[in-house]
Amino acid sequence: MAESDKIAAAPETGGLDPGASSAIDHEDRLRPEFVDEVLDAVEAGNDERAREMVAPLHPADVADLIELAARDERDGLVKALAGIVDADVLAEMNEHVRETLLDALGPDELARIAGDLETDDAVAILEDLEEHEQRAVLRAMEPDDRAAVEEALAYPEESAGRLMQRDLIAVPEHWKVGRVIDYLRSTDELPTDFWEIFVVAASHHPVGTCKLSTVLRTPRSTPVVDIMMREQTLIPVDMDQEDVALRFQKYALVSAAVVDGAGRLVGMITVDDIVHIIQEEASEDALLLSGVGEGDINEPVGESYRSRVRWLAANLVTALVAATIIRQFTGSIEKLAILAALGPIVAGVGGNAGTQTLAVTVRAFATNQLTSSNRWRAVGREIRVALLNGVTIALLLGIGVSLVLSSPSLGLVIGAAMMTNIVTAGMAGVLVPLTLERMGADPAVASSIFLTMITDSMGYLAVLGLATASGIVH
Amino acid sequence: MAESDKIAAAPETGGLDPGASSAIDHEDRLRPEFVDEVLDAVEAGNDERAREMVAPLHPADVADLIELAARDERDGLVKALAGIVDADVLAEMNEHVRETLLDALGPDELARIAGDLETDDAVAILEDLEEHEQRAVLRAMEPDDRAAVEEALAYPEESAGRLMQRDLIAVPEHWKVGRVIDYLRSTDELPTDFWEIFVVAASHHPVGTCKLSTVLRTPRSTPVVDIMMREQTLIPVDMDQEDVALRFQKYALVSAAVVDGAGRLVGMITVDDIVHIIQEEASEDALLLSGVGEGDINEPVGESYRSRVRWLAANLVTALVAATIIRQFTGSIEKLAILAALGPIVAGVGGNAGTQTLAVTVRAFATNQLTSSNRWRAVGREIRVALLNGVTIALLLGIGVSLVLSSPSLGLVIGAAMMTNIVTAGMAGVLVPLTLERMGADPAVASSIFLTMITDSMGYLAVLGLATASGIVH
């Protein structure tokens, strides 16, 4: 399994690579003119020109190019770029776009591509296939590669076992530095990228790690056990990738050993394999809070529809709760129709205040900043912020209503309703996700539906209830 | 400047470190019982016990411990842990918590702490100080450290220049591998962590890079120019940290050279310095979309209030737009008060549909997946999803209203209004951020205010307008 050695030739490479320079803007995006020029060349049948333009690009940029092409242009583009669109490009590609390209290939071609990739990338491609396709591709692979991929696929999805590389450098405790260096020099089949070597006991249990920079700087006669760090993070092979990502981030790890249930070294994870997971997990909250599932612009329309419509239907149900409350007050509304205009303000601003608290709370959970140690402190903090916000906004709205509608009593009612709803929103914004989390649910997934239900209901209840109870409705 | 060599002693270290094992749960969070026990020991005046418990922890966990303590417990805790709470712990700490601790220290102590840190960490601490404090601390620092920090502070905030390390290995083009290794062995003052060496021309312009693993495996007599990779990413020193993070992520970089305006090598950035920025930038969208500024649970209440109340006040203004529309229809509402209950459903579900599209669009911008090449395709895609969602939800709501209120004509009106609003929401959810982006604004910051204004206004206008125009209001 090999990996590309090409490194990004960005515009700032100082003219090392003029082809790529004009292709990419200063934020590493492909320039629209470049994309158009390549697509025009393909459409004009000038494959040679297209290949000349694309050849200097990094695989990640070739992948971007194919993603940026319209769906009906992609097949032609990929055909024109045969040989350039290789396994590395596929590994970098958005999975939805990749899936449509792979659907056109047979098991033999897929097996060849998988064989060209590191195990983790091959697994990423194979795990998306239908089971019978997956079996066909595995049968067509080289026995060694096949065994590595099958072993990885045996671990749960999104676990460390699927992410790890099996290629790593492990040396026995009794070796000296010189022997390590000789071993590295004499062995052809080494991992492409490694930053540490692992020291293992006879039982293949890891006992320490050495940074390569330490190995390089140490005299040959020094035993590795004298220079290794004995404290190290061991990642259990079934650990969830989100926890792996958080651990890399928290301890600023560059690579870490992966161990099986018996504590034996079975693989390693390097930070470059985990960076995209850190990014995905961190941006997931915004998508989950908005109810869009994966939220990928390359997702097929049908899939986007299915994931989003469920959320909207759930919202429809919670909106009915608020509507039912309003319906109880139709008598008051008939007499004082302006309440129908004021209710939505109180409900809406309360909803926004709750969303603010929710976003902060969900992020604190995701980054492990909120635990049962500081739970009640966080609730107290949000209530204090809500009281300050409530007073300010209630005064603004109350005085505004008093003046515009020339009714100080209505202003007072609306101000009090606004205050009530913002404080309710602040409490709900932290208590709803806390409760969901204690029940074992992901607070980012369902919180905002419950929250909106609470702030809408409380908003209308406060406005209509206070207006009716205070007697300003005649 | 030195760095801690401690690596996380997580529960899975197999008993290497029993102290830390019982302190940390399987998701790398400090156990609440452990936190309580330490705090109880400090309160009981048993500093020795507290120090014993905390000493085995990684600096990142010590920082967590201090963050998890209540504000009035922190000073006592830090005092009890004197010596353990060192520069490395401060570097790992949440900036709000750190600021309150640093406020208690004098310039000499701060200078000592900054001198113990890598330049980038020292800069992170010093850049938060008031200018006169910063000057006092700089004056108290060692000349070498001071020069490095001052140079870094001269670069714009959040730029590559503030993130980079100045310590790196750069060797001339004419060296052989043996000389590189001898140089590394004989030099004491080397960076703590490095994974690549840089090859530079006489003008100090980078011409290539070598991975350490390649250096280790190559015979001593080989010239470095024969094994170096000539294509490399050069990061301009004034590049924004968000773009640096995206580049590391896109090209799976482990380290990269930083160059000044003249193309000379001035520093390097390693992936472990950038992982927290990747995380921050990725999670920023959820916070920006909700209008909570930094959205940190450690932020002082006053600061949270100031950043959130502005957003709520802006929402108040946009809510008035919808209220003004409703007010035009008070005549219709007096006659058919149920409209006051149905309007919020159409407005609210429309708002949610718009938020879904907005979250997807903002994420696509943030990850550079949406460019002017595929802009109109994205709009078309969202409209198609909106049409599907609109038909489904409009049918559900329309039929529901027809049955519950025994009024097919009202059901028809509400269904049509719902359809109109979901399609409007889908278009606004992608066009609002696109427009803001073309105007040079960050689409995550202001989009949701405009979006809610549009979906609220359109929701009420459609319900009340269609009901009035259709003649079902008598």
Side-chain angles (χ1 to χ4, degrees), chain B residues 219-429:
Chain B
R220 292 180 61 93
S221 57
T222 311
V224 286
V225 290
D226 289 359
I227 57 163
M228 73 183 184
M229 293 187 293
R230 285 174 189 277
E231 284 181 333
Q232 64 170 314
T233 295
L234 304 179
I235 309 258
V237 74
D238 57 356
M239 191 181 212
D240 187 82
Q241 65 175 21
E242 178 165 9
D243 295 327
V244 177
L246 279 173
R247 184 176 288 184
F248 264 77
Q249 198 182 321
K250 178 170 183 182
Y251 299 120
L253 304 176
V254 171
S255 62
V258 180
V259 291
D260 65 12
R264 284 180 304 251
L265 182 66
V266 291
M268 79 169 169
I269 295 179
T270 53
V271 65
D272 49 310
D273 296 326
I274 209 96
V275 158
H276 70 280
I277 291 168
I278 293 175
Q279 198 276 335
E280 277 169 25
E281 298 286 346
S283 62
E284 197 185 58
D285 284 350
L287 302 172
L288 290 177
L289 284 171
S290 316
V292 284
E294 273 189 47
D296 185 317
I297 59 163
N298 292 299
E299 191 179 41
V301 168
E303 279 179 41
S304 293
Y305 161 65
R306 277 189 294 278
S307 64
R308 294 196 206 170
V309 79
R310 260 184 267 152
W311 176 268
L312 294 179
N315 266 297
L316 192 56
V317 173
T318 57
L320 289 175
V321 175
T324 308
I325 291 175
I326 300 172
R327 212 181 155 189
Q328 307 309 311
F329 291 95
T330 40
S332 300
I333 293 169
E334 278 163 10
K335 289 181 200 141
L336 192 60
I338 192 71
L339 291 176
L342 296 173
I345 301 178
V346 173
V349 175
N352 279 306
T355 303
Q356 291 181 326
T357 303
L358 182 59
V360 172
T361 308
V362 164
R363 176 161 187 263
F365 271 125
T367 53
N368 277 347
Q369 285 192 286
L370 190 58
T371 76
S372 35
S373 296
N374 58 350
R375 196 165 53 198
W376 295 115
R377 200 140 21 92
V379 176
R381 182 183 175 279
E382 290 304 321
I383 292 177
R384 272 181 296 157
V385 176
L387 285 170
L388 290 170
N389 280 333
V391 169
T392 312
I393 300 296
L395 276 175
L396 281 174
L397 181 61
I399 293 171
V401 167
S402 300
L403 295 177
V404 173
L405 301 177
S406 311
S407 168
S409 53
L410 191 55
L412 199 65
V413 161
I414 298 300
M418 189 76 257
M419 181 76 201
T420 310
N421 204 25
I422 288 183
V423 173
T424 306
M427 286 198 284

Side-chain angles (χ1 to χ4, degrees), chain A residues 34-91:
Chain A
F34 176 85
V35 176
D36 290 344
E37 218 180 312
V38 174
L39 291 172
D40 288 350
V42 173
E43 213 190 340
N46 192 349
D47 289 3
E48 200 45 52
R49 170 81 189 122
R51 300 168 57 78
E52 240 169 55
M53 292 179 72
V54 177
L57 297 183
H58 184 278
D61 289 309
V62 182
D64 280 358
L65 174 67
I66 293 165
E67 290 169 26
L68 287 174
R71 222 174 149 141
D72 54 3
E73 299 168 318
R74 279 181 198 151
D75 282 345
L77 179 61
V78 170
K79 208 164 284 168
L81 299 179
I84 296 177
V85 180
D86 58 7
D88 288 320
V89 171
L90 287 171

Side-chain angles (χ1 to χ4, degrees), chain A residues 5-8 10 12-13 16-17 27-29 32 58 60-61 64 68-70 94 181 184-185 187 190 193-195 211-213 216-218 229-234 236 243 247 249-251 254 271 275 278-279 282-283 286-287 290-292 295-299 304-305 308-309 311-313 315-316 320 323 326-327 333-334 337-338 340-341 344-345 352-353 356-357 359-360 363-364 367-369 372-374 377 381-382 388-389 392-393 405 460, chain B residues 5-8 10 12-13 16-17 27-29 32 35 58 60-61 64 68-70 94 181 184-185 187 190 193-195 211-213 216-218 229-234 236 243 247 249-251 254 271 275 278-279 282-283 286-287 290-292 295-299 304-305 308-309 311-313 315 320 323 326-327 333-334 337-338 340-341 344-345 352-353 356-357 359-360 363-364 367-369 371-374 377 381-382 388-389 392-393 405 460:
Chain A
D5 260 0
K6 250 187 210 168
I7 290 278
E12 294 79 11
T13 46
L16 270 182
D17 194 323
E27 288 183 28
D28 296 328
R29 296 175 297 207
H58 184 278
D61 289 309
D64 280 358
L68 287 174
N94 177 281
I181 293 175
L184 294 177
R185 289 215 177 121
T187 314
L190 285 183
D193 284 339
F194 60 100
W195 324 103
K211 291 182 194 171
L212 281 193
S213 54
L216 252 172
R217 296 167 58 184
T218 307
M229 291 188 295
R230 285 174 189 278
E231 284 182 331
Q232 64 170 313
T233 295
L234 304 179
D243 295 329
R247 185 176 285 184
Q249 198 183 320
K250 178 171 182 180
Y251 299 120
V254 170
V271 65
V275 158
I278 293 175
Q279 197 277 335
S283 62
L287 302 171
S290 317
V292 284
D296 187 317
I297 59 163
N298 292 299
E299 192 179 40
S304 293
Y305 162 66
R308 292 195 206 172
V309 78
W311 176 268
L312 293 179
N315 266 296
L316 192 55
L320 289 175
I326 299 172
R327 210 180 156 190
I333 293 168
E334 278 163 12
I338 192 71
I345 301 178
N352 279 306
Q356 291 182 326
T357 303
V360 172
R363 175 161 189 265
T367 53
N368 278 348
Q369 284 192 287
S372 35
S373 296
N374 58 350
R377 200 140 20 94
R381 183 184 174 278
E382 289 305 320
L388 289 171
N389 281 333
T392 312
I393 301 296
L405 301 177
Y460 291 109
Chain B
D5 261 0
K6 252 186 208 167
I7 291 277
E12 294 80 10
T13 46
L16 270 184
D17 195 323
E27 288 184 29
D28 296 329
R29 294 175 299 207
V35 177
H58 184 279
D61 289 309
D64 280 359
L68 288 173
N94 177 282
I181 293 175
L184 294 177
R185 288 212 178 127
T187 313
L190 285 182
D193 284 341
F194 60 100
W195 324 102
K211 290 181 193 171
L212 281 193
S213 54
L216 250 173
R217 296 167 58 185
T218 308
M229 293 187 293
R230 285 174 189 277
E231 284 181 333
Q232 64 170 314
T233 295
L234 304 179
D243 295 327
R247 184 176 288 184
Q249 198 182 321
K250 178 170 183 182
Y251 299 120
V254 171
V271 65
V275 158
I278 293 175
Q279 198 276 335
S283 62
L287 302 172
S290 316
V292 284
D296 185 317
I297 59 163
N298 292 299
E299 191 179 41
S304 293
Y305 161 65
R308 294 196 206 170
V309 79
W311 176 268
L312 294 179
N315 266 297
L320 289 175
I326 300 172
R327 212 181 155 189
I333 293 169
E334 278 163 10
I338 192 71
I345 301 178
N352 279 306
Q356 291 181 326
T357 303
V360 172
R363 176 161 187 263
T367 53
N368 277 347
Q369 285 192 286
T371 76
S372 35
S373 296
N374 58 350
R377 200 140 21 92
R381 182 183 175 279
E382 290 304 321
L388 290 170
N389 280 333
T392 312
I393 300 296
L405 301 177
Y460 291 109

Side-chain angles (χ1 to χ4, degrees), chain A residues 118-130:
Chain A
E118 304 258 344
T119 310
D120 55 332
D121 289 329
V123 167
I125 289 182
L126 286 178
E127 67 189 359
D128 291 339
L129 298 178
E130 304 281 333

Side-chain angles (χ1 to χ4, degrees), chain A residues 160-229:
Chain A
R162 296 243 175 148
L163 285 175
M164 71 186 185
Q165 299 167 229
R166 274 135 206 85
D167 294 333
L168 53 80
I169 313 292
V171 302
E173 298 177 89
H174 57 86
W175 279 20
K176 296 201 165 134
V177 167
R179 182 148 178 205
V180 173
I181 293 175
D182 293 342
Y183 168 75
L184 294 177
R185 289 215 177 121
S186 64
T187 314
D188 282 340
E189 286 268 327
L190 285 183
T192 346
D193 284 339
F194 60 100
W195 324 103
E196 293 185 307
I197 61 164
F198 299 97
V199 182
V200 289
S203 56
H204 220 68
H205 282 65
V207 293
T209 65
C210 285
K211 291 182 194 171
L212 281 193
S213 54
T214 312
V215 174
L216 252 172
R217 296 167 58 184
T218 307
R220 292 180 61 93
S221 57
T222 311
V224 285
V225 290
D226 290 358
I227 57 162
M228 73 185 185
M229 291 188 295

